[in-house]
Amino acid sequence: MLQQYLEVGKVTNIHGLNGEVKVQPWADSPDFLCRFKTLYVDEAHFPMAVQRARVHKNMVIIKFEGPTDVPSAMSLRGATLYIDRADANLPEGAFFLADIYGLEVRDASTGQVLGKIADVLTLPANNVYVVKGGPRELMIPAVPQFIAETNIEDGFLRVNMMEGL
């Protein structure tokens, strides 16, 4: 079951005097956050309408409808922001990292189950999938030469095992 609400960032501070907040984005690009008209606050998923959003030094400055001054903006400090999956239009073949946790990992040539994705390391060059629960823990680079198929709907990932993996 895919999660309806996905974490996309955290309010780190206020910005200016008019109720804007500074957000640390948890997406491939901070621009991604600027596309949403509504963001949801904390695990209660309280909806807040976005008046405007812009990227500033790898952070996102957001003006929500509601907070108009420093004290009201301060009340959002530390809040985790979410999007509704239905509001995100991902390109064909793209997926959210949250969707691959727990996927069964299979050897593309033998079909052998190698374990499940337990973690994703987001490194500068590429992501690395940490696979646990099989014969041994594996770290598989998330690049085309290793990933044969990502099937979110059916719950598996097929990988090309190479010497040394």
Side-chain angles (χ1 to χ4, degrees), residues 8 10-13 15 20-27 29-35 39 50 52-63 81:
V8 291
K10 184 176 191 127
V11 177
T12 60
N13 213 337
H15 183 82
E20 289 182 314
V21 293
K22 189 182 290 190
V23 176
Q24 173 68 56
W26 298 334
S29 162
D31 294 315
F32 179 75
L33 260 184
C34 296
R35 292 194 239 159
L39 293 173
V50 176
R52 64 182 177 269
R54 69 185 188 282
V55 176
H56 178 71
K57 297 182 181 175
N58 290 328
M59 298 291 273
V60 179
I61 306 300
I62 297 177
K63 173 67 174 102
L81 299 179

Side-chain angles (χ1 to χ4, degrees), residues 80-109:
T80 300
L81 299 179
Y82 295 77
I83 59 167
D84 186 330
R85 173 187 300 278
D87 296 340
N89 297 318
L90 293 182
E92 184 68 33
F95 54 86
F96 292 106
L97 286 181
D99 295 340
I100 66 168
Y101 284 92
L103 285 187
E104 185 176 86
V105 178
R106 303 174 186 165
D107 185 317
S109 60

Side-chain angles (χ1 to χ4, degrees), residues 69-130:
D69 57 14
V70 171
S72 55
M74 284 292 282
S75 69
L76 290 169
R77 234 170 99 178
T80 300
L81 299 179
Y82 295 77
I83 59 167
D84 186 330
R85 173 187 300 278
D87 296 340
N89 297 318
L90 293 182
E92 184 68 33
F95 54 86
F96 292 106
L97 286 181
D99 295 340
I100 66 168
Y101 284 92
L103 285 187
E104 185 176 86
V105 178
R106 303 174 186 165
D107 185 317
S109 60
T110 68
Q112 176 190 1
V113 175
L114 304 170
K116 293 186 177 206
I117 296 180
D119 199 5
V120 178
L121 307 177
T122 52
L123 305 177
N126 52 265
N127 290 343
V128 174
Y129 300 151
V130 179

